[in-house]
Amino acid sequence: MSATRVLALDELTQDEAHRVVVEGVAIAVVLDSAGAVHAIGDTCTHGDISLAEGFVDDGSLECWAHGSKFELTTGKPLTLPAYEPVPVFAVEIIDGDVYIDPSQKLAV
Ligand code: FES
């Protein structure tokens, strides 16, 4: 499958997550403080919570429910109670638009 345009880069706010659904896959898109865009699985592995409703903190996305932080670059949980990673997807920026291919996982 090929990458799908999910939103314009200027729809993102730095250090905030934006939930999108691409081909049935819920993804949290994050523009980090360094200007890099990340796409990580939106559903917390500890419970059925949207990570995009949580908080971006120093390279991680924190679940608001019980505080697990997932690393934006790897999807790995940095803190309990979650202990399983969320997937991370490849992001392409083309002419100011953000493209994601949900079949291209960088890390699981
Ligand atoms: S549901 Fe996310 S840490 Fe519990």
Side-chain angles (χ1 to χ4, degrees):
M1 279 192 213
S2 58
T4 301
R5 180 197 176 280
V6 293
L7 40 68
L9 192 53
D10 62 12
E11 289 177 68
L12 293 171
T13 303
Q14 211 150 38
D15 287 337
E16 283 184 18
H18 194 112
R19 184 179 191 272
V20 298
V21 178
V22 188
E23 293 165 24
V25 181
I27 296 173
V29 184
V30 177
L31 175 64
D32 72 16
S33 52
V37 178
H38 306 273
I40 84 171
D42 185 53
T43 306
C44 182
T45 55
H46 181 243
D48 190 17
I49 297 289
S50 168
L51 292 176
E53 294 173 3
F55 318 100
V56 178
D57 180 29
D58 197 21
S60 70
L61 184 54
E62 179 178 342
C63 180
W64 61 264
H66 310 106
S68 280
K69 293 182 178 183
F70 296 86
E71 194 170 48
L72 291 172
T73 52
T74 65
K76 287 185 184 153
L78 303 173
T79 53
L80 292 170
Y83 58 87
E84 290 186 24
V86 292
V88 175
F89 304 96
V91 175
E92 275 185 283
I93 311 294
I94 302 170
D95 292 337
D97 290 322
V98 179
Y99 288 77
I100 297 171
D101 181 350
S103 69
Q104 294 288 320
K105 289 182 186 171
L106 299 181
V108 178

